[in-house]
Amino acid sequence: MTVTEVGPLHARYVRVADRFKAIWTYHQFATGIFRNFLDQAPPYTLDFKLVYEGIKTASGKLNAAQANDARAALDGAERAVGAASKELLKADDAITPSLVRRFFEKLNLKDEELIYFLVKFYLYADAVEGDRRDKIDFLFTRIGEELLPGRGEYISRESLEFREKLIALLSVLRVAEAPRDEVISLIRAIRSMRDEVLAAKTFDDLTSKHLLKNSRTFKHRIGDLYFDPDVLLAVVQLNVASKNRFAELYQAEEQRILDDSQKLLRHGEAIERNFGETNPELAEAIARFREYKERFDALRAESNVKHDLVAQLKLSIGNVLAQLDRGLTASDEEVAELPDAFFDQQRQTDSIGDLFGRNEPLLPVLVRIAGVLDYIATHIALEEAIELPAVRELRLETWEVAAYQKLFARMEPDSPEDNDELWTLYLRAAALRIKVDQEATALAMAGAAGVKPDADVLTNAKQSLDCAKTLDELFGDLLQEAVYYSNPKILHQLYRSRFRLLRGFSGLWLIYDQQA
C-alpha cells in the first residue's frame, strides 16, 4: 500500500479520535447533570479507558507497512465509540432541554471548547431531532451570543468569525448543501419572526400570538436546512433577540403576577368562605391557581420559569376573577374591564367552532379542553403533559393531547393515516367522556337524594347517549381500516378511546334508564 492510500486511514483516525473526545466531554457533562440536578449516578457504565486504548493502538499503525492492521484497529475503535455513544444517548433521554440550560446558567459555564464538543456529540450521532434539536439550539446560541454587562442584554457575535466556526462544526454532520434560494427564503422568514418578537410591546404579545412557540416549531420543521451556516446564523440572531425581549417584558410581568398572586393568596380563604357555596367553580378555580402558583414559585427559585407556565398562571388568576364576577350582582360602581381570560376563551370558541361547526353539541366541552391545552407548550413530552393538574383533571390520553396540537398548533402527523378525521374523532370522544361523566354524576346525586332530576339534565343525557352511538359507529368504521395502517399504534389508540367512551356510555345509560 502506498503512502497516498494511508491518507484516508489517517482521516478516519482523526474523526474517531475527535468523536471520542466528544463522548468523553458529554460523559462529564451528563455526570454533572445527573448528580447535581437528578440526585443520582449516571445510568450507564462505560470503560472509556478501554475505548481510548483501542484508538491509541490504531494510531501506532498508521503507516504503509501496517495499513491492514490499522484498518482493523480503526474498525474496532469506531464500533466501540459508536456503542458508547448509543449508551450515552439513552441517558440523554432523561436530560431535558430545561436541565441543559439550568446546568450552564447555574454553573455560569462559558467554556466554548466544552460546548463545541457537546454539539459534536449530537452531530456525530446524528441525534438532532425532537428535544435534542432544542438542546443543540441552546448550545449554538450559547456560543453565538455575548453579554453586554453594562446594559444587561446579549448581542450576537460577529457573523464572519462565528460563521467560520459554524462551518467547522457542521462539517461533522455531513449534510447535503442546501439550494441557495431555499436558504434565502428561510433567512427572510426567520428575520420576519425576529421582527415580530422585537415588536412585542407586552408579555401577553409573546404568549397570545405564540411567537416563541411558533419559532421553536419552525426550527423543528425545517429539518436539515437548520444546519446551513447562514440559516443557523439567522436562527441564533432570532434566539438572542427573543431572549432579550422575553427578559425585558417578563420583569414587569413577574411583578404584576406576584402582586396579584399575593392578593389572591391573602384573600383566597375569605373568598371561598363567602362565595364558594353558591359558586363551586370558584373554589375549583382557586385550587387550580394555587397549584400553578406552587409550580411557578418552585421554578422561579430555580430560574427556570417558562412563558407557557406564566400564561397558565395568569389564566388561572383571570379565571378566579371571572368566577368571582359571576357570584356578584351588578352595582352602580364602574364595571371593571373584562379579564384577559375572556378574550382567550372567545378566541378558543371561535377556533373550535370553525373546525367542529357552530352547532356542535360538544362545543362547550371542546372549548374547555382548548382552554387547558392551548397553554401546553408543544415541546413538553406528552407523558408529562397529561400529568399536569389541569390536564389530569380532564383525564386525557397522550394521543388526544397530540390530536389537539396537530389540529391547532401545526404539529406534524406521525404517519400517512394520521389525519384530521382521526384527530377530530379523538377530541370529540374525549369531550363526550367528560360530558357523560358530569351527567352521570348529576343523575346519581339526584337519585341518592331521592329527588327527580331536572328535565334539562335528562335531555342532555339523552343527547349524549345518542352522540355516543354515532361516535361508536365512527370508531367501528376506522377500526376496520386501521388493521391495514402502517402505524400500529393507531389501532391501539382507537380501541382504547372507544372502550373508554363505551364504559362511560354504559354507566350513564344504566343511571338514565333507572331515572327516566
Side-chain angles (χ1 to χ4, degrees):
M1 179 176 288
T2 64
V3 175
T4 305
E5 292 174 306
V6 175
L9 292 178
H10 187 268
R12 283 180 61 189
Y13 165 75
V14 170
R15 185 175 175 88
V16 75
D18 192 55
R19 189 175 183 186
F20 173 79
K21 190 168 183 179
I23 66 171
W24 172 249
T25 302
Y26 181 85
H27 161 65
Q28 294 175 308
F29 160 76
T31 300
I33 290 275
F34 277 97
R35 289 180 177 170
N36 293 307
F37 293 91
L38 300 177
D39 295 322
Q40 66 181 80
Y44 58 82
T45 302
L46 293 171
D47 191 339
F48 286 95
K49 184 177 180 181
L50 182 63
V51 179
Y52 174 74
E53 290 297 333
I55 297 172
K56 189 176 179 181
T57 298
S59 69
K61 300 178 182 296
L62 294 174
N63 54 72
Q66 295 179 287
N68 290 333
D69 292 339
R71 188 178 295 108
L74 285 171
D75 288 342
E78 287 169 346
R79 284 194 299 270
V81 169
S85 180
K86 288 181 180 178
E87 288 299 309
L88 293 172
L89 285 174
K90 291 177 184 177
D92 185 66
D93 290 336
I95 299 176
T96 63
S98 175
L99 281 176
V100 175
R101 182 182 63 80
R102 287 171 57 198
F103 176 82
F104 277 91
E105 293 183 354
K106 183 174 182 178
L107 301 180
N108 195 25
L109 287 175
K110 189 64 178 179
D111 186 337
E112 288 194 3
E113 186 176 11
L114 167 67
I115 298 175
Y116 286 146
F117 278 103
L118 286 179
V119 170
K120 284 183 176 183
F121 167 75
Y122 291 109
L123 298 185
Y124 273 124
D126 196 18
V128 295
E129 302 298 336
D131 278 357
R132 294 189 177 108
R133 175 67 56 93
D134 297 327
K135 298 173 193 176
I136 293 170
D137 192 58
F138 169 80
L139 294 171
F140 276 126
T141 304
R142 188 81 178 176
I143 56 176
E145 66 185 10
E146 291 181 357
L147 177 65
L148 296 179
R151 293 162 54 183
E153 64 179 40
Y154 291 87
I155 60 170
S156 301
R157 294 177 61 174
E158 288 294 330
S159 297
L160 184 59
E161 176 194 359
F162 186 44
R163 186 177 187 274
E164 291 175 353
K165 292 186 176 182
L166 288 180
I167 291 173
L169 266 176
L170 297 171
S171 64
V172 167
L173 191 59
R174 295 176 173 173
V175 295
E177 185 175 354
R180 297 319 295 171
D181 56 338
E182 290 188 39
V183 169
I184 293 170
S185 177
L186 280 176
I187 291 173
R188 286 173 178 166
I190 294 167
R191 288 176 178 169
S192 176
M193 286 187 284
R194 183 191 63 187
D195 292 342
E196 279 191 278
V197 169
L198 291 174
K201 302 298 183 185
T202 66
F203 190 82
D204 282 344
D205 287 341
L206 291 178
T207 56
S208 63
K209 297 177 183 178
H210 305 292
L211 297 182
L212 303 182
K213 181 167 72 174
N214 289 344
S215 68
R216 176 184 178 272
T217 301
F218 179 87
K219 287 180 283 189
H220 279 248
R221 288 186 175 174
I222 59 177
D224 285 348
L225 286 170
Y226 174 92
F227 298 102
D228 178 271
D230 295 311
V231 171
L232 192 47
L233 271 173
V235 166
V236 169
Q237 291 168 359
L238 166 64
N239 292 345
V240 172
S242 299
K243 184 175 182 176
N244 287 331
R245 202 66 180 142
F246 179 90
E248 180 183 354
L249 298 176
Y250 175 68
Q251 286 179 355
E253 192 68 27
E254 181 185 54
Q255 192 56 52
R256 281 196 293 269
I257 287 175
L258 291 173
D259 291 342
D260 290 343
S261 297
Q262 289 306 316
K263 291 175 184 177
L264 273 182
L265 289 173
R266 280 200 305 269
H267 302 295
E269 292 184 3
I271 292 172
E272 285 183 279
R273 188 166 56 249
N274 289 309
F275 302 105
E277 291 185 4
T278 58
N279 189 355
E281 288 84 2
L282 175 61
E284 292 179 7
I286 291 177
R288 192 172 297 117
F289 154 73
R290 285 178 174 144
E291 289 182 5
Y292 286 131
K293 181 62 168 61
E294 288 177 4
R295 288 181 56 208
F296 176 82
D297 289 340
L299 293 177
R300 184 167 174 262
E302 299 173 350
S303 299
N304 192 32
V305 176
K306 301 294 180 59
H307 71 276
D308 56 309
L309 177 59
V310 176
Q312 289 174 327
L313 180 57
K314 285 190 63 182
L315 179 61
S316 70
I317 294 173
N319 285 338
V320 172
L321 297 177
Q323 292 297 338
L324 185 58
D325 287 343
R326 292 177 190 176
L328 300 174
T329 55
S331 65
D332 294 333
E333 297 176 359
E334 182 179 353
V335 178
E337 281 187 49
L338 287 169
D340 291 343
F342 172 84
F343 299 102
D344 286 340
Q345 186 176 28
Q346 187 59 48
R347 175 179 53 78
Q348 291 154 358
T349 301
D350 292 340
S351 298
I352 295 293
D354 290 343
L355 182 63
F356 290 89
R358 301 290 173 176
N359 297 323
E360 168 62 53
L362 298 170
L363 189 63
V365 189
L366 288 167
V367 171
R368 179 185 170 191
I369 293 174
V372 172
L373 298 187
D374 212 28
Y375 295 95
I376 304 298
T378 53
H379 67 269
I380 295 178
L382 295 174
E383 291 76 14
E384 295 177 9
I386 62 173
E387 293 301 322
L388 294 174
V391 184
R392 190 167 63 243
E393 183 179 335
L394 299 178
R395 299 172 60 207
L396 298 178
E397 301 281 4
T398 54
W399 53 89
E400 291 164 347
V401 176
Y404 181 87
Q405 293 177 341
K406 290 167 184 174
L407 284 168
F408 296 102
R410 296 180 296 176
M411 293 289 287
E412 292 291 338
D414 298 326
S415 62
E417 304 88 2
D418 198 20
N419 54 39
D420 288 21
E421 181 183 13
L422 194 64
W423 305 333
T424 53
L425 177 58
Y426 285 153
L427 287 178
R428 292 185 71 205
L432 185 55
R433 284 201 317 267
I434 295 169
K435 185 171 183 286
V436 161
D437 287 346
Q438 292 173 340
E439 291 161 353
T441 300
L443 289 175
M445 290 176 65
V451 298
K452 187 174 181 179
D454 292 338
D456 288 344
V457 176
L458 288 171
T459 300
N460 291 335
K462 179 63 167 61
Q463 291 175 347
S464 295
L465 293 172
D466 292 339
C467 184
K469 294 176 184 176
T470 301
L471 292 186
D472 185 59
E473 291 175 1
L474 292 175
F475 273 113
D477 292 339
L478 285 176
L479 280 166
Q480 289 183 2
E481 302 172 8
V483 294
Y484 304 105
Y485 287 175
S486 61
N487 184 356
K489 290 182 180 179
I490 294 179
L491 186 64
H492 170 262
Q493 293 166 3
L494 284 169
Y495 270 121
R496 183 168 173 83
S497 290
R498 185 189 196 186
F499 288 149
R500 284 196 65 188
L501 180 61
L502 287 175
R503 182 173 62 184
F505 167 84
S506 61
L508 178 61
W509 186 91
L510 290 171
I511 299 174
Y512 175 83
D513 183 66
Q514 185 180 40
Q515 297 281 356

